[in-house]
Amino acid sequence: GARETFESYYRKQRRKQARLVLQPPSNMHETLDGYRKYFNQIVGFFVVEDHILHTTQGLVNRAYIDELWEMALSKTIAALRTHSSYCSDPSLVLDLKNLIVLFADTLQGYGFPVNQLFDMLLEIQDQYSETLLKKWAGVFRNILDSDNYSPIPVSNEDVYKKIVGQFPFQDAELEKQPFPKKFPFSEFVPKVYSQIKEFIYACLKFSEDLHLSSTEVDDMIRKSTNLLLTRTLSNCLQNVIKRKNVGLTELVQIIINTTHLEKSCKFLEEFITNITNVLPETVHTTKLYGTTTFKDARHAAEEEIYTNLNQKIDQFLQLADYDWMALEPGSRASDYLVDLIGFLRSTFAVFTHLPGEVDVHSTMSGKVAQTACMSACKHLSTSLLQLLLEAEVRQLTLGALHQFNLDVEECEQFARSGPVPGFQGDTLQLAFIDLRQV
């Protein structure tokens, strides 16, 4: 006999219960079970309300349930936003996404609108990408730190096929060569390439069951992969190049490696296309920026080679000890300079004996070797000139000048000997022409 009182009491109590159910435990983000419990409570609450709506008369009505669901939805989304932002493990974020999809699909089955949940999943997706990028930064660091920066030796057909299976590389010349032979690149090339593909698979996992079109999935994968290449991998490569004790042979190997990785970018494009079935010609397709990442790394490595060489030359020059008042010159060039020229010879021998195909030889290591050699000769010439013209040197004898002349001749002889192939005529000797004039 107190129907209205009961209805109002029932609704009031259920609202209070709903508020309790919607209050997430403070450590919910720590485990998947925490989230599961939370979702189950909410589903349970609304399944009961839906049942009462369909089995009783007037106790609850649609408007009341919709109003409750709206409150629940905004509180759930706020809680998920807060808690998911604490999560740094990509696999937990992925499991959470699958739970949210189940939660949304279940409630949709009872007629509740869940679009906002799917919109929020797209926000969580950005965060998932960030956790993936952090994880892969560690993966790339380990690969680059453990690499030996020397060409991969292959002793038999099985090893050869295994590497070619991991990395898209074709070279008719190398195939003809007998075993044992060497790939031009070091281990990090196939490893980095495989890991980029793993990353793409990990991105794809999140987009499953989100009711997205293939174009949206394609776009999402490409954007995340671009971040991986231009930010994560790029930083890792730059850190290796700028390392304190990085050697010239390592830098040369990095130049070769990045050239091969740059060539592989078109295969990564195909790989994404095969997964998403969105052709690259499609209007809004994002291009992969891998080529710029590898070009930048290569230029950085080249610059580092030039700087590195000049620093080594400076170390030798610190040993220069000219006696500007000597009466007689020595019988040969100064010891420090003979050592310096010996160092330059052996350094450029490394460049010219680089493994790899003919085109890499002629264009890349050849060009870098020429630039490095020219830059080294110019640096040496300028530094010797500075020694001669130093303000402290107030006077000098003919004997001292003759000794200095022997050293300059040693430099000219080095330039004439063609330490690096490919220079036109006496281009390299011109580096010492000002010094010779003075």
Side-chain angles (χ1 to χ4, degrees):
R3 187 185 177 91
E4 278 183 21
T5 314
F6 176 65
E7 274 178 18
S8 119
Y9 170 78
Y10 174 86
R11 292 183 187 186
K12 201 170 170 184
Q13 289 303 313
R14 285 299 271 165
R15 265 201 188 86
K16 281 184 183 167
Q17 287 169 9
R19 286 212 162 83
L20 281 175
V21 164
L22 291 164
Q23 196 58 51
S26 58
N27 62 347
M28 178 169 82
H29 56 274
E30 287 171 10
T31 61
L32 196 62
D33 263 355
Y35 285 111
R36 195 179 279 121
K37 235 185 201 147
Y38 178 64
F39 288 140
N40 288 352
Q41 284 179 333
I42 299 170
V43 170
F45 183 92
F46 282 97
V47 168
V48 169
E49 288 306 281
D50 182 78
H51 185 70
I52 288 171
L53 172 73
H54 288 101
T55 53
T56 63
Q57 280 297 306
L59 185 56
V60 300
N61 59 22
R62 194 78 236 175
Y64 150 82
I65 285 194
D66 287 346
E67 181 207 336
L68 260 186
W69 172 242
E70 217 165 280
M71 171 190 83
L73 196 56
S74 69
K75 282 191 182 300
T76 308
I77 287 174
L80 286 174
R81 270 202 188 111
T82 306
H83 284 267
S84 66
S85 66
Y86 299 140
C87 183
S88 57
D89 173 12
S91 52
L92 183 58
V93 180
L94 192 61
D95 289 341
L96 170 61
K97 168 238 138 177
N98 291 331
L99 257 188
I100 296 173
V101 169
L102 272 178
F103 173 68
D105 285 350
T106 305
L107 285 161
Q108 195 168 24
Y110 283 93
F112 293 103
V114 291
N115 285 352
Q116 283 175 274
L117 281 169
F118 281 103
D119 291 344
M120 193 209 50
L121 276 172
L122 295 177
E123 290 175 30
I124 292 184
Q125 184 180 16
D126 291 340
Q127 190 206 326
Y128 175 67
S129 277
E130 283 301 320
T131 59
L132 281 185
L133 290 169
K134 277 202 187 88
K135 181 180 171 181
W136 256 260
V139 170
F140 287 145
R141 257 201 310 277
N142 290 340
I143 292 174
L144 296 175
D145 287 348
S146 61
D147 199 69
N148 62 3
Y149 295 92
S150 46
I152 305 174
V154 253
S155 50
N156 57 48
E157 190 65 35
D158 289 346
V159 181
Y160 189 88
K161 280 190 173 142
K162 184 180 168 229
I163 305 260
V164 177
Q166 287 174 333
F167 182 73
F169 174 77
Q170 280 175 319
D171 178 19
E173 284 301 307
L174 191 64
E175 273 178 43
K176 282 182 211 152
Q177 283 176 27
F179 291 103
K181 49 190 171 185
K182 286 177 179 179
F183 280 102
F185 43 79
S186 72
E187 289 275 354
F188 94 55
V189 170
K191 283 181 179 171
V192 163
Y193 185 80
S194 304
Q195 282 303 326
I196 296 172
K197 282 165 76 169
E198 286 299 318
F199 176 87
I200 291 169
Y201 278 131
C203 287
L204 184 71
K205 276 191 181 136
F206 196 94
S207 63
E208 286 164 0
D209 305 320
L210 288 192
H211 314 303
L212 297 170
S213 70
S214 51
T215 327
E216 288 171 308
V217 173
D218 185 83
D219 192 52
M220 174 212 100
I221 289 178
R222 284 168 179 277
K223 281 181 176 156
S224 298
T225 308
N226 271 336
L227 281 175
L228 179 79
L229 293 168
T230 56
R231 203 173 76 191
T232 313
L233 180 55
S234 185
N235 286 347
C236 292
L237 285 169
Q238 297 287 347
N239 289 340
V240 170
I241 292 163
K242 296 272 183 273
R243 261 203 312 235
K244 233 189 167 60
N245 47 5
V246 65
L248 285 170
T249 37
E250 283 173 83
L251 289 167
V252 171
Q253 190 61 57
I254 290 170
I255 291 172
I256 293 171
N257 287 0
T258 46
T259 302
H260 285 287
L261 282 167
E262 186 187 331
K263 285 181 187 167
S264 75
C265 284
K266 64 170 187 287
F267 296 100
L268 286 174
E269 291 265 10
E270 282 172 25
F271 179 68
I272 294 176
T273 303
N274 290 339
I275 288 178
T276 61
N277 291 322
V278 176
L279 294 171
E281 298 78 68
T282 314
V283 188
H284 298 299
T285 310
T286 315
K287 294 274 332 141
L288 282 189
Y289 302 136
T291 47
T292 49
T293 295
F294 300 124
K295 270 200 180 89
D296 291 349
R298 196 162 62 249
H299 292 322
E302 288 170 11
E303 284 304 317
E304 201 60 32
I305 285 177
Y306 311 145
T307 314
N308 201 314
L309 265 178
N310 289 353
Q311 283 169 349
K312 285 274 197 306
I313 291 172
D314 290 343
Q315 283 168 10
F316 280 102
L317 283 162
Q318 279 167 2
L319 304 172
D321 186 18
Y322 288 105
D323 173 7
W324 298 113
M325 300 309 288
L327 296 174
E328 290 294 320
S331 55
R332 60 193 194 95
S334 310
D335 286 347
Y336 89 89
L337 196 94
V338 173
D339 291 346
L340 193 162
I341 298 291
F343 160 75
L344 289 178
R345 272 191 207 289
S346 61
T347 298
F348 292 119
V350 169
F351 277 94
T352 41
H353 294 128
L354 285 176
E357 327 87 303
V358 179
D359 68 326
V360 166
H361 228 139
S362 54
T363 55
M364 188 191 52
S365 47
K367 189 172 137 294
V368 174
Q370 284 172 16
T371 313
C373 190
M374 182 49 104
S375 131
C377 287
K378 281 183 173 162
H379 185 70
L380 176 55
S381 176
T382 317
S383 306
L384 285 172
L385 194 56
Q386 279 170 345
L387 280 178
L388 188 60
L389 302 178
E390 248 176 16
E392 284 89 80
V393 183
R394 300 281 164 91
Q395 55 183 147
L396 42 88
T397 60
L398 213 54
L401 259 182
H402 275 301
Q403 179 59 51
F404 195 76
N405 180 49
L406 285 172
D407 290 356
V408 176
E409 277 175 2
E410 185 76 15
C411 295
E412 291 168 328
Q413 169 52 34
F414 168 71
R416 267 199 306 279
S417 70
V420 169
F423 278 112
Q424 296 295 311
D426 54 1
T427 316
L428 199 53
Q429 285 136 269
L430 292 177
F432 295 103
I433 196 134
D434 290 350
L435 179 63
R436 163 60 58 213
Q437 285 302 126
V438 176

